[in-house]
Amino acid sequence: MKKRRFTKCSVCGVSVKMDNLAEHLRRVHDKTIDGGAIRDRAKADPCEEALEKGMKLMASERFKRAISVLKTIPDECPDIDSAYTLIGISYIQLNCLEDAITYLEKAVKADPGCPAHWYNLGAAYISKGYVAKARECANKALALNPDEEVKEKAENLLNGIKELLDLELANKPDINPETYLKLEERFRRGVEFMENEDWDAAMEEFKYVTSIDKNSAKAYGNLGVIFLLKGEIEEAEKHLKK
């Protein structure tokens, strides 16, 4: 078996050459460890070279080019989860959240035991407004006994979610946080159905939301839009007024 010369960065979850870990921590996370950073390019294989090149391009904020380079790494590469993570982070920098989530999900699937991968995915989810999924990822990161920095980030994410829920539920005394998160997931599914022009499936999700949350303006609004697109003007007007 080929001996791996990469190690996982405990902060971001990216695989880094063992002799380059000190430099990675210093440049990317402003941290230091004992020992120097000695490069050994003669032994680098194409996967390692592509990862290093991708990280350098990201450091110089050439994110599109970094994505192109990192996507050349084959799925069978032992450190493919690191490539997925770097691609996902690059997409976040380009404000392409859907693409970012796609690759951060791949990173989690490739190495589900890495706490940083779960935190990165949770942070992307919350940026997209997927509160329930973000909370699930933060809890999984904490369950994997992360280092202090990832632990702090995951806890901060959970605290932020709690504050968000408290704010959202301030005028909804009959709805508890768990119910709200379930409704949020149904609403997000409805939005996805709308994007795919599956109007009937979308209506089912939004109607479920309004059956529990009588004051969900956004669900009533989307129902109104769907009825308008279906040519049912009176129904559209009724829901938009709600």
Side-chain angles (χ1 to χ4, degrees):
M1 178 181 295
K2 179 182 176 181
K3 182 179 179 181
R4 289 178 61 179
R5 292 179 290 109
F6 266 47
T7 186
K8 262 301 157 34
C9 171
S10 62
V11 179
C12 64
V14 168
S15 287
V16 184
K17 287 178 67 175
M18 296 184 71
D19 52 7
N20 292 344
L21 179 59
E23 182 180 358
H24 171 81
L25 289 171
R26 178 179 61 80
R27 293 184 61 184
V28 179
H29 305 296
D30 195 26
K31 288 181 173 293
T32 60
I33 60 174
D34 293 334
I38 303 173
R39 298 183 180 277
D40 184 8
R41 297 187 179 279
K43 297 180 180 179
D45 66 19
C47 292
E48 295 172 358
E49 290 179 342
L51 280 170
E52 288 191 13
K53 185 175 182 180
M55 284 187 279
K56 285 184 176 181
L57 288 166
M58 291 175 66
S60 62
E61 299 185 359
R62 298 170 63 189
F63 298 111
K64 290 183 178 180
R65 177 58 181 157
I67 290 170
S68 298
V69 170
L70 293 164
K71 282 185 176 181
T72 65
I73 299 175
D75 291 340
E76 60 269 19
C77 173
D79 301 295
I80 190 62
D81 59 301
S82 295
Y84 292 150
T85 295
L86 293 172
I87 293 170
I89 292 172
S90 295
Y91 274 127
I92 288 176
Q93 295 299 318
L94 295 170
N95 199 31
C96 299
L97 289 178
E98 289 290 352
D99 292 320
I101 287 172
T102 295
Y103 278 90
L104 293 175
E105 286 176 340
K106 288 183 176 183
V108 163
K109 185 176 180 180
D111 186 3
C114 177
H117 289 346
W118 285 105
Y119 168 74
N120 289 334
L121 180 57
Y125 277 144
I126 201 66
S127 296
K128 189 66 175 174
Y130 297 165
V131 183
K133 289 183 176 181
R135 189 178 72 160
E136 179 183 356
C137 288
N139 282 325
K140 286 187 176 180
L142 291 174
L144 291 169
N145 192 29
D147 79 335
E148 285 302 316
E149 182 160 348
V150 174
K151 179 181 179 182
E152 182 180 357
K153 288 181 177 180
E155 289 176 343
N156 287 340
L157 177 56
L158 287 175
N159 289 335
I161 290 172
K162 183 180 182 303
E163 292 176 4
L164 174 63
L165 290 176
D166 290 342
L167 182 63
E168 289 289 333
L169 298 177
N171 298 317
K172 301 177 187 290
D174 298 329
I175 298 178
N176 60 43
E178 295 303 321
T179 298
Y180 177 85
L181 289 175
K182 290 179 181 178
L183 294 178
E184 186 256 351
E185 282 297 289
R186 297 292 295 261
F187 179 84
R188 293 297 171 189
R189 283 204 295 269
V191 171
E192 291 174 359
F193 285 132
M194 284 187 72
E195 290 173 349
N196 294 321
E197 298 186 2
D198 190 343
W199 309 123
D200 291 336
M203 286 177 64
E204 183 178 346
E205 298 298 332
F206 298 137
K207 284 182 177 180
Y208 178 84
V209 173
T210 57
S211 71
I212 305 297
D213 183 1
K214 308 296 184 182
N215 296 314
S216 179
K218 60 185 182 181
Y220 282 123
N222 283 351
L223 281 169
V225 170
I226 292 172
F227 279 119
L228 192 63
L229 291 170
K230 291 167 70 71
E232 300 180 36
I233 307 302
E234 291 185 4
E235 283 295 313
E237 183 177 2
K238 180 176 71 175
H239 285 83
L240 289 172
K241 283 182 178 180
K242 289 184 179 181

